[in-house]
Amino acid sequence: MSEKLLVRRAAVLGAGVMGAQIAAHLVNAGVDTVLFDLPAKEGKPNGVVEQAIARLGKLKPAPLADKSLAAKIIPANYETGLELLEDCDLVIEAIAERMDWKQDLYRRIAPHVPAHAVLASNTSGLGINKLAEVLPEQLRPRFCGVHFFNPPRYMHLAELIPARGTEDAVLRGLEAFLTTTLGKGVVYAKDTPNFIGNRIGVFSMLAAMYHTAQFKLGFDTVDALTGPAIGRPKSATYRTADVVGLDTMVHVINTMAETLPEDPWHKYFKAPKWLAGLVEKGALGSKTGAGFYTKKGKEILVLDVEAQDYRPSSSDLDPAVAALLKERDPAKKFAALRASTHPQAKFLWACFRDTFHYSAYHLKDIALTARDVDLAMRWGYGWSIGPFESWQAAGWKQVAEWIAEDIVAGEAMSPAELPDWVFDGRDGVHSSTGSYSPGRDSMVPRSSHPVYERQRFPDALLGEKASKGRTVFENDGIRMWADEGDDIAVVGFKTKMHTVNDQVLDGLQEAVRIAERDFGGLVIWQPGEPFSAGADLAGALGLLQSGDAEGFDAMVANFQRTSMAIKYSLVPVVAAVRGLALGGGCEFQMHAAHTVLGLESYVGLVEAGVGLLPAGGGLKELALRASERAGAGGDVFAELKNVFETVAMAKASTSAMEAKALGLARPTDTVVFNAFELLHVARVQARAMAASGYRPPLPARAIQVAGDVGIATFKMMLVNMLEGRFISAHDYEIATRIATVLCGGQVDRGTRVDEEWLLRLEREHFVALAQMPKTQERIAHMLKTGKPLRN
């Protein structure tokens, strides 16, 4: 078969939490999807699936990028709907983790799976070869495991597990589909229990649980130690267990005990007494309201094992250990952890040591290379760096000696020896030439699969560095670069959170001038998230507090000049957005000739939250678009209602699709599912626009506005909200000014104005708001706490 997997329609078998969310993500990606489950015992035959689809809209985080997509999922059941499989190109089985149930289902569906279709099991750890045994011979080459991590929309990892008979072309086709269409990071795992992510991830949690008791630490202290302090998610260890469900956790541990009898760490594959005790009581974590943690009113309580009751949670990290964890040099940090006599430091060293030991011992069995393990832990468990990267960064040889010493001293969890390759003189497992494979005893480069040519900057491991291109222009705010021989230049911001200050504004204007002269197009792209958190509030507040109103007005005018330079550039400027694009960041992409949005783009004109209004041309663009949509003689006010609410309430989108629905992105803007492909798609877009003879839009000189009647109508709505105490007097002030700009000021309804008129209104009202004490209080509060103040 061809290596290209053409998926016009897919089926998901199993409408449980995982299956329904996989179906949701398939429709997010524009794949026609059928969702199957058992027929309902009473009522409509597809009732079970219909209820599961209805639940998708209530789940948080939202599995659907747009709630309206729920209606696109086709419900079906195994009794009356199996013929629907006959039109499917990909079938993903996602029923409960029972070998006998899965095999029974395979026997049932096999006659209906088309001869070209791929069948994949979304199992978190059952044997793929064992599952394949019941399949007819002709289906086995098109069968494999695909393990999505929960929640599938947001978790980047998808483990691909070949069975013995899986055709290479099937795997390569599925890898490309998972990578580009669904936006996943694919890691190949061997057919061993729990594969890579859960094998290492669950062991690291078991090690933390074992050492919690050994060093007599509280669950909250362990979470403070094993979260962001060591580059792991906020949920750390015990909060993660609560979210996953303590019954699920116990089931996974029991599965490890049953399926890994030869594992040298086998005696630890059992739920600690306190975990088993919670499950017996029905305290299963978040889903039951109590587990390791519970809530009493607004207070978070944590389980105290000795008191057999909950107590107020506190991190109580030792200040010396907290300071030690801030050490930037990993070698010094690990040396200090090992040398410390404090139980918290000893706990951390023990957890790292045993996870390194376990990962090295099992690497050959579970994965081809160390790269696969590190990427699986980053993408599936949210670790900032994987276990082998941590070990290598801390000094491979020294850490290996320490682990070996602890094994001999009986301090490690297992007496199993480290593999010989650990001590073969190496300085680590990752280098610029590749990552170590114990099976091949060589450094293996990254995959040569053509799909990765779309990733100019893949997620780099320790020791890997992609060329950053030739610098074309640079100042303190931005860097403009291009690849040798490429006619599309790229510009990115150098500020923290990619905020916009004077250097960024001046730099962007210069980048546009250079692009017009020397290039075919320009892409605004950041090497990481966010795209931009908006204007530099600290700088703005400084100007205001020093009473420099003139300087402040000049800064706003410069902001608007930059937006207009982007819009009227003689070469296409394409914005490549992922993560936050707030305030000025949102306005820049609104003025770009085209925006390429990563699925997880959180776009918003949120200035009202700090007592201001958008003044980088954002309101001007919204008024202009409303006029274009209304057309000659149309109702402009009707087109403004939704965008007014979006801006006045400082709403940000929860996905790229919602950014379009809110009017903050254009219907024609592109959505990309894999964030690592964003730059590639943006450059291709800019190149295509340049090749087709791009010209900027003609200046808008006849924008129809809603005028005084529109302002009065908005004010009536706002007065009701003010009198009902839904908004404060200052909220009313801000929203009235937003309405005034959107409606074109105090002019007759239907008056036609130009862009400069609207920009002047933006600037005028922005500067007036900025000088108000309540606005300055809001800005100061946001800078101090990161949260909006409602005064």
Side-chain angles (χ1 to χ4, degrees):
M1 70 174 270
S2 156
E3 285 195 359
K4 193 170 184 183
L5 178 62
L6 302 172
V7 181
R8 204 173 300 281
R9 176 180 272 190
V12 179
L13 311 179
V17 174
M18 201 63 187
Q21 289 196 73
I22 292 169
H25 195 56
L26 284 162
V27 292
N28 286 342
V31 179
D32 189 24
T33 303
V34 188
L35 180 59
F36 284 84
D37 211 301
L38 294 165
K41 286 176 181 167
E42 48 193 56
K44 291 195 281 184
N46 294 330
V48 173
V49 177
E50 286 169 3
Q51 283 178 353
I53 293 169
R55 278 195 298 273
L56 287 171
K58 297 169 190 161
L59 288 178
K60 285 191 178 174
L64 293 161
D66 186 316
K67 283 188 179 178
S68 67
L69 288 168
K72 303 283 187 189
I73 302 172
I74 303 162
N77 70 82
Y78 307 126
E79 288 290 334
T80 62
L82 285 181
E83 69 278 2
L84 288 170
L85 286 175
E86 292 162 17
D87 292 327
C88 293
D89 308 296
L90 172 63
V91 179
I92 299 170
E93 169 271 305
I95 68 167
E97 292 287 273
R98 280 270 304 265
M99 181 69 72
D100 54 340
W101 291 359
K102 286 180 187 278
Q103 288 184 330
D104 284 347
L105 183 59
Y106 292 178
R107 289 187 189 99
R108 195 169 181 182
I109 64 161
H112 299 275
V113 176
H116 71 282
V118 173
L119 172 63
S121 175
N122 175 64
T123 173
S124 56
L126 292 180
I128 299 302
N129 285 299
K130 183 78 179 156
L131 284 168
E133 285 175 4
V134 300
L135 292 172
E137 283 298 327
Q138 70 272 21
L139 187 46
R140 290 186 193 184
R142 291 174 286 114
F143 174 72
C144 62
V146 172
H147 179 211
F148 291 93
F149 273 62
N150 193 16
R153 171 182 158 186
Y154 301 92
M155 299 307 290
H156 191 56
L157 180 63
E159 290 177 317
L160 197 49
I161 312 99
R164 275 188 292 273
T166 314
E167 271 181 17
D168 191 49
V170 167
L171 293 166
R172 289 171 70 79
L174 192 50
E175 182 175 5
F177 173 79
L178 290 167
T179 303
T180 293
T181 307
L182 298 189
K184 297 298 155 203
V186 174
V187 165
Y188 278 81
K190 295 188 180 180
D191 187 18
T192 54
N194 287 10
F195 311 127
I196 299 173
N198 283 343
R199 184 75 177 270
I200 303 299
V202 174
F203 174 80
S204 75
M205 289 178 76
L206 282 172
M209 288 178 176
Y210 170 72
H211 292 304
T212 299
Q214 198 184 24
F215 294 103
K216 299 181 172 60
L217 299 178
F219 300 131
D220 46 352
T221 301
V222 168
D223 277 353
L225 288 164
T226 57
I230 59 166
R232 308 266 173 92
K234 280 185 192 168
S235 54
T237 302
Y238 293 102
R239 277 195 181 87
T240 296
D242 270 358
V243 170
V244 167
L246 304 191
D247 51 342
T248 305
M249 190 80 197
V250 169
H251 172 71
V252 171
I253 295 167
N254 291 343
T255 303
M256 286 177 80
E258 289 163 22
T259 55
L260 296 165
E262 306 298 316
D263 193 302
W265 283 262
H266 185 267
K267 68 178 180 182
Y268 302 101
F269 300 164
K270 60 179 181 189
K273 278 181 189 170
W274 25 263
L275 174 55
L278 285 168
V279 173
E280 275 171 35
K281 285 181 194 165
L284 307 179
S286 306
K287 59 189 171 188
T288 59
F292 290 109
Y293 294 91
T294 190
K295 250 184 164 181
K296 190 177 179 183
K298 288 192 174 177
E299 191 176 24
I300 294 171
L301 307 177
V302 65
L303 182 67
D304 186 317
V305 174
E306 283 185 23
Q308 288 289 296
D309 201 359
Y310 289 94
R311 61 167 172 78
S313 171
S314 67
S315 65
D316 67 350
L317 274 196
D318 179 76
V321 175
L324 186 163
L325 291 175
K326 287 179 181 158
E327 167 61 57
R328 288 181 176 273
D329 181 342
K332 288 180 182 171
K333 186 188 295 185
F334 273 80
L337 280 175
R338 189 163 193 269
S340 174
T341 56
H342 194 285
Q344 292 180 10
K346 286 164 81 77
F347 164 84
L348 275 180
W349 161 252
C351 288
F352 276 117
R353 173 199 66 213
D354 291 319
T355 302
F356 293 166
H357 185 189
Y358 192 81
S359 301
Y361 185 90
H362 285 297
L363 175 58
K364 188 175 180 179
D365 310 330
I366 65 173
L368 174 63
T369 69
R371 179 192 305 110
D372 302 315
V373 172
D374 282 344
L375 290 179
M377 296 318 297
R378 285 188 188 199
W379 296 343
Y381 274 76
W383 293 12
S384 59
I385 59 171
F388 290 114
E389 289 178 284
S390 291
W391 181 348
Q392 182 169 327
W396 184 271
K397 289 174 180 169
Q398 179 60 78
V399 172
E401 279 174 27
W402 287 336
I403 297 170
E405 283 171 22
D406 282 10
I407 293 168
V408 170
E411 289 177 14
M413 284 170 73
S414 166
E417 290 183 7
L418 283 166
D420 291 343
W421 59 262
V422 170
F423 300 103
D424 63 5
R426 69 179 52 253
D427 288 315
V429 289
H430 302 302
S431 75
S432 56
T433 60
S435 294
Y436 183 65
S437 167
R440 296 184 186 175
D441 192 25
S442 64
M443 301 298 273
V444 175
R446 279 188 180 252
S447 169
S448 58
H449 193 303
V451 75
Y452 299 114
E453 289 170 15
R454 297 168 60 86
Q455 299 187 17
R456 172 67 175 78
F457 294 94
D459 200 359
L461 290 164
L462 190 73
E464 288 184 323
K465 276 191 181 139
S467 155
K468 290 186 177 176
R470 166 180 68 87
T471 300
V472 175
F473 167 75
E474 190 169 17
N475 69 359
D476 288 343
I478 64 113
R479 175 177 178 259
M480 179 185 188
W481 60 275
D483 283 334
E484 217 51 62
D486 197 348
D487 66 337
I488 303 299
V490 183
V491 64
F493 307 169
K494 292 158 63 174
T495 48
K496 189 178 179 184
M497 295 287 284
H498 304 135
T499 52
V500 181
N501 59 17
D502 287 334
Q503 288 81 15
V504 170
L505 295 171
D506 295 343
L508 274 175
Q509 290 174 46
E510 181 62 19
V512 169
R513 280 192 289 272
I514 295 168
E516 288 178 326
R517 187 186 69 211
D518 299 333
F519 292 90
L522 180 66
V523 170
I524 305 174
W525 171 84
Q526 317 293 1
E529 291 186 28
F531 176 72
S532 172
D536 170 23
L537 285 176
L541 189 60
L543 283 173
L544 290 168
Q545 289 176 335
S546 66
D548 187 0
E550 215 171 282
F552 189 76
D553 186 68
M555 185 195 80
V556 182
N558 198 25
F559 218 121
Q560 293 181 338
R561 259 196 311 279
T562 308
S563 292
M564 295 296 271
I566 290 168
K567 180 171 182 176
Y568 289 107
S569 163
L570 291 170
V571 294
V573 178
V574 174
V577 172
R578 67 166 164 156
L580 297 174
L582 303 178
C586 175
E587 288 171 306
F588 287 158
Q589 69 82 26
M590 288 175 80
H591 285 80
H594 189 87
T595 300
V596 178
L597 298 140
L599 175 66
E600 302 310 330
S601 292
Y602 312 123
V603 182
L605 293 172
V606 296
E607 287 86 347
V610 286
L612 294 165
L613 53 73
L619 293 180
K620 178 266 298 178
E621 275 300 296
L622 291 174
L624 168 58
R625 290 177 190 184
S627 171
E628 286 173 347
R629 283 195 303 273
D635 184 354
V636 178
F637 182 79
E639 297 294 342
L640 285 173
K641 278 196 291 196
N642 284 347
V643 291
F644 169 72
E645 187 184 302
T646 297
V647 179
M649 292 177 68
K651 275 189 197 172
S653 72
T654 58
S655 72
M657 276 76 152
E658 197 186 2
K660 291 186 179 193
L662 292 174
L664 300 169
R666 289 159 290 225
T668 52
D669 285 336
T670 306
V671 178
V672 170
F673 273 58
N674 194 318
F676 296 106
E677 295 184 353
L678 198 62
L679 177 59
H680 167 80
V681 176
R683 291 206 291 192
V684 167
Q685 180 70 40
R687 209 169 284 126
M689 293 172 87
S692 61
Y694 176 80
R695 290 292 302 175
L698 289 168
R701 299 191 180 97
I703 303 162
Q704 186 189 175
V705 294
D708 49 9
V709 175
I711 298 167
T713 313
F714 278 132
K715 281 174 90 168
M716 270 167 42
M717 290 160 47
L718 292 169
V719 165
N720 289 338
M721 292 177 79
L722 181 64
E723 287 176 354
R725 298 191 177 178
F726 294 109
I727 58 172
S728 69
H730 196 50
D731 290 328
Y732 176 82
E733 178 75 34
I734 300 157
T736 300
R737 290 176 182 271
I738 289 169
T740 303
V741 178
L742 279 175
C743 294
Q746 294 290 347
V747 295
D748 292 343
R749 179 171 62 179
T751 297
R752 295 185 179 269
V753 301
D754 61 12
E755 287 180 277
E756 195 46 57
W757 173 273
L758 292 167
L759 288 172
R760 185 183 53 75
L761 277 176
E762 275 188 3
R763 208 160 56 241
E764 218 173 81
H765 287 282
F766 183 88
V767 171
L769 280 171
Q771 291 174 311
M772 294 179 184
K774 282 190 183 295
T775 286
Q776 292 184 24
E777 282 170 26
R778 286 191 181 194
I779 296 172
H781 188 269
M782 176 61 82
L783 288 168
K784 190 175 177 183
T785 68
K787 292 174 183 169
L789 172 70
R790 288 282 172 232
N791 57 355

